Amino acid sequence: MTEFIKLSAAELAGLVADGTASARDITQAHLDRITSTDERLNAFVTVDAEGALATADAVDARRAAGEQLPPLAGVPIAVKDIVVTNGIETTAASKILRGWIPPYDATIVTKLRAAGLVPLGKTNLDEFAMGSSTENSAFGPSRNPWDLARTPGGSSGGSSAAVAAYQAPLAIGTDTGGSIRQPASLTGIVGHKPTYGGVSRSGLIAYASSLDQAGPFGRTVLDAALLHEVIAGHDPADSTSLDLPVPLVADAARIGAAGDLTGMTIGVVSNLSGEGYEPGVVSAIAATVAQLEQMGAKVVECPCPHFDYALAAYYLIAPSECSSNLARFDAMRYGLRVGDDRQASLEAVMAGTRDAGFGAEVKRRIIIGTYALSAGYYDAYYGQAQKVRTLISRDFITAFSGCDVLVSPTSPIVAFELGPRAEDPMAMYAVDLCTLPASLAGVPAISVPCGLSDGLPVGLQIMAPVLADDRCYRVAAAVEASLNSPVLAAAPQL
Ligand code: GLN
């Protein structure tokens, strides 16, 4: 049965639809893979074997009853543990939420279930999605299947490790400043951050609400696109959700796979290169850009001068929003409660719980954000950062007046070793350099594997105007087609 794990989601769905395989057998094969590999990978926080098999059986029953199944019915999926799941513990990889069993599903989980996908369990992340390596998880770091001493990226590193290691063909991640794209890049898979407002945030545990977006991971561009279409669309339960048609991303992926980019202009962001970028990353990106030109695209250089300030602006805006969002963890409503005896004051219980429940990085962000929002500093820090955010959006508008998409490395470096960087917050923040501009501007961006540097995967980031997610998928599919294998993930140690 293990051959199932190497197939794409589209292939697996085809087997279920034509009755060649049952959703139960496919699900069991992935559960077995998790059992045999997750002690080394630590990709999952919770595995829901029983629930997954029951969901798979329901899909098999629908097919047996002659129902026409939706496109990804019967395909297993891993869900980041910051997405709320009815009846399944949801922790955000924080001690403060341990034991919390939500009474409802996030909108995207409702959509997954309606589409017949089979949730296998919940994946590891940096606590409340704050980090770039999963080392800020209360459950210990996840590991990269390409090299177990290295990070699978973060914050959605459990999801990226699971897909790269064939534990699941698909996964859900969330991306606030790069948390889908960077882990995809570091594990050799595809990950897309949709246009802000394209996918419902209802039922995502909020980190920075003006930036948070859920999105798909897959080993192929088409798989990511098919999943995108399942989760996208207007949701009245999210006030920032766009009430506009979902871009036709699966069609775009199919068109791109033909490898013809005639008529397209591709802008290379000149600011996202140079010092701090690994030579192997730079050369893989340059070779890919040359390949895009061969496929008919016109290539131009695009300076985006304000991108240089994205890191500083993001690390004020995101902590500011987090300091407000995380105020809800007050020891009264969810999870942990410390020091709750008759003598204790309300304030002492709240302070004790937050001190015991939050990790060091989360506390650091709450303190930075509270400071940046405080009277007397607001204009100098938060207000200033918001102005920079506007300038970054304008850089995108100027650039897109001369090109259809912008490209850059997804990450300045390949997967780094677990350990040293976790000691140095500034060094950890610096790896987000390339992904932050698209987050601040709310534009869609994808990461697609485009080569190797020292035997480790390199990702190309493709950014497009608001609601032109289809362009990201089209160009990504062309890149994928130009590589010999559509699936870079080799998971050599497993
Ligand atoms: N690494 C960034 C941060 O720590 C981005 C995380 C994310 O996108 N959730 O905030």
Side-chain angles (χ1 to χ4, degrees):
M1 255 176 351
T2 47
E3 72 273 19
F4 288 141
I5 65 170
K6 296 283 172 89
L7 299 181
S8 71
E11 288 165 338
L12 290 169
L15 296 183
V16 174
D18 69 19
T20 313
S22 68
R24 171 172 265 268
D25 287 349
I26 290 170
T27 301
Q28 189 61 56
H30 287 88
L31 290 169
D32 291 347
R33 176 71 175 170
I34 294 169
T35 305
S36 67
T37 54
D38 211 46
E39 224 160 273
R40 283 165 289 163
L41 277 180
N42 197 31
F44 281 83
V45 171
T46 304
V47 177
D48 180 26
E50 215 176 295
L53 291 169
T55 307
D57 286 345
V59 171
D60 289 332
R62 278 165 74 180
R63 189 186 173 277
E67 221 181 284
Q68 174 88 22
L69 296 175
L72 288 176
V75 178
I77 185 164
V79 179
K80 186 179 184 180
D81 202 25
I82 200 163
V83 181
V84 162
T85 40
N86 189 6
I88 303 172
E89 185 179 1
T90 300
T91 67
S94 180
K95 280 192 274 187
I96 212 160
L97 268 178
R98 246 186 148 154
W100 181 55
I101 306 208
Y104 68 106
D105 274 329
T107 298
I108 56 173
V109 174
T110 304
K111 288 183 179 227
L112 295 179
R113 294 193 193 285
L117 282 120
V118 179
L120 297 170
K122 308 296 292 290
T123 53
N124 197 18
L125 65 149
D126 289 290
E127 184 176 7
F128 288 106
M130 296 173 198
S132 309
S133 68
T134 67
E135 287 165 284
N136 296 331
S137 167
F139 306 112
S142 298
R143 292 174 180 276
N144 192 320
W146 288 75
D147 177 348
L148 295 174
R150 292 174 192 267
T151 177
S155 64
S156 316
S159 289
S160 66
V163 172
Y166 302 102
Q167 293 178 330
L170 296 170
I172 294 289
T174 63
D175 189 311
T176 303
S179 280
I180 294 174
R181 291 161 284 160
Q182 184 256 20
S185 175
L186 270 44
T187 54
I189 63 170
V190 180
H192 181 68
K193 181 195 85 74
T195 297
Y196 182 79
V199 174
S200 170
R201 288 186 298 110
S202 180
L204 306 190
I205 296 173
Y207 162 15
S209 307
S210 77
L211 297 155
D212 297 343
Q213 269 295 283
F217 283 106
R219 287 188 299 266
T220 71
V221 177
L222 179 61
D223 280 2
L226 291 168
L227 178 55
H228 182 130
E229 291 191 355
V230 170
I231 59 174
H234 181 240
D235 178 12
D238 170 4
S239 62
T240 58
S241 165
L242 297 169
D243 193 2
L244 291 164
V246 176
L248 298 175
V249 294
D251 280 353
R254 291 191 185 98
I255 291 166
D260 182 5
L261 295 177
T262 311
M264 245 196 171
T265 304
I266 291 177
V268 179
V269 183
S270 30
N271 301 60
L272 297 178
S273 66
E275 207 188 317
Y277 288 76
E278 245 168 55
V281 170
V282 173
S283 58
I285 298 294
T288 308
V289 170
Q291 189 67 41
L292 294 172
E293 215 165 6
Q294 293 244 308
M295 291 188 273
K298 186 175 156 209
V299 174
V300 296
E301 282 276 322
C302 285
C304 294
H306 299 98
F307 285 16
D308 295 352
Y309 308 103
L311 195 74
Y314 173 86
Y315 277 100
L316 286 166
I317 292 169
S320 296
E321 294 189 25
C322 113
S323 71
S324 166
N325 272 326
L326 269 56
R328 63 169 59 85
F329 301 104
D330 58 2
M332 301 297 132
R333 286 178 280 192
Y334 320 86
L336 190 69
R337 183 177 295 176
V338 170
D340 184 14
D341 60 59
R342 282 173 172 275
Q343 275 76 41
S345 69
L346 181 66
E347 196 183 342
V349 174
M350 286 184 183
T353 301
R354 286 166 70 86
D355 186 34
F358 288 141
E361 182 61 25
V362 172
K363 287 178 185 159
R364 183 178 297 121
R365 306 249 181 141
I366 292 173
I367 291 167
I368 293 172
T370 306
Y371 183 78
L373 290 176
S374 56
Y377 295 103
Y378 183 99
D379 288 339
Y381 294 111
Y382 183 74
Q384 204 60 17
Q386 289 288 27
K387 288 180 188 160
V388 172
R389 185 175 191 176
T390 301
L391 294 173
I392 290 168
S393 292
R394 286 193 194 148
D395 276 2
F396 273 108
I397 291 167
T398 308
F400 288 134
S401 69
C403 66
D404 299 298
V405 295
L406 286 168
V407 299
S408 75
T410 305
S411 167
I413 55 174
V414 293
F416 45 95
E417 279 181 13
L418 292 165
R421 213 169 272 268
E423 313 290 310
D424 181 352
M426 289 306 287
M428 192 66 89
Y429 300 168
V431 303
D432 302 335
L433 216 55
C434 309
T435 48
L436 298 174
S439 297
L440 289 165
V443 303
I446 202 166
S447 181
V448 65
C450 72
L452 297 174
S453 167
D454 283 337
L456 292 167
V458 176
L460 177 77
Q461 177 177 230
I462 305 155
M463 299 165 272
V466 163
L467 279 173
D469 300 59
D470 50 326
R471 291 188 205 167
C472 298
Y473 284 95
R474 180 173 167 201
V475 177
V479 171
E480 180 179 78
S482 77
L483 300 173
N484 282 335
S485 156
V487 181
L488 264 179
Q493 294 199 15
L494 297 153

